[in-house]
Amino acid sequence: MAATGKNAGRSPSVASLYRALAEAEAAAADDGLPLRPKPVRIRRPQDPLTPEEIHLRERLQAQPHPNTELR
């Protein structure tokens, strides 16, 4: 679909970019999804595991390996 209007084919204005971002934020809030990803901390090997990391490691290790043959 070709754009029509006085600014067709040009870069959008800053105001229209902010308007589009505000609309996207409002739509994301309606979905109940987080607006931005959760920041993560880069772990160093000597850092102790958090309780969340321990739980995740246990869950992953309890799963069967995807390359194992089912019998």
Side-chain angles (χ1 to χ4, degrees):
M1 179 177 187
T4 58
K6 96 177 176 183
N7 292 326
R10 290 201 210 153
S11 297
S13 68
V14 173
S16 63
L17 290 174
Y18 276 108
R19 192 176 317 113
L21 286 172
E23 290 171 3
E25 286 180 353
D30 292 342
D31 293 340
L33 299 173
L35 186 57
R36 292 185 174 84
K38 178 181 173 185
V40 297
R41 178 180 56 88
I42 305 297
R43 258 189 96 257
R44 299 196 193 296
Q46 66 272 17
D47 290 346
L49 294 175
T50 65
E52 289 175 339
E53 292 169 332
I54 292 170
H55 180 66
L56 177 61
R57 181 179 62 184
E58 289 170 352
R59 283 184 30 224
L60 290 172
Q61 289 178 345
Q63 293 178 354
H65 192 279
N67 292 338
T68 58
E69 292 183 25
L70 298 175
R71 296 177 193 216

